[in-house]
Amino acid sequence: MTKRAKQSLMTINHEIVPMVNPITKNQQLAYDEWKDNNNLVLAGTAGTGKTYLALNIALDELLRPDSKYTRIGIIRSVV
């Protein structure tokens, strides 16, 4: 890693990740299923908040001090 890259790194902790309040019944269901340790596959029309919910949950989980995760993988299907 270059000196410049090291200078641009910043530490982010779990407390600064704002949790999103679910707006719809399906968004609440996604949060509830994740809290019950179930894997999620979110599908639906554009603009329903799937990506935002998924990344918020993933970032929250990744930054927990006791997290078993080390990175977030984003996979997008070919359309």
Side-chain angles (χ1 to χ4, degrees):
M1 191 178 296
T2 66
K3 182 178 179 183
R4 184 175 184 154
K6 286 181 185 178
Q7 290 174 344
S8 67
L9 294 177
M10 78 181 223
T11 302
I12 301 173
N13 63 27
H14 173 259
E15 287 80 27
I16 69 168
V17 177
M19 277 311 286
V20 178
N21 292 324
I23 297 173
T24 67
K25 184 172 64 170
N26 285 334
Q27 289 176 353
Q28 183 63 55
L29 180 62
Y31 275 116
D32 293 343
E33 290 298 318
W34 179 257
K35 289 177 188 174
D36 290 340
N37 292 319
N38 294 320
N39 290 327
L40 301 177
V41 175
L42 303 176
T45 59
T48 57
K50 299 176 302 291
T51 303
Y52 189 71
L53 284 172
L55 287 175
N56 186 269
I57 290 170
L59 188 58
D60 180 64
E61 188 67 32
L62 178 74
L63 294 176
R64 290 183 181 277
D66 59 342
S67 178
K68 61 184 176 182
Y69 303 104
T70 58
R71 62 183 164 204
I72 297 173
I74 299 173
I75 301 168
R76 185 171 188 269
S77 61
V78 176
V79 179

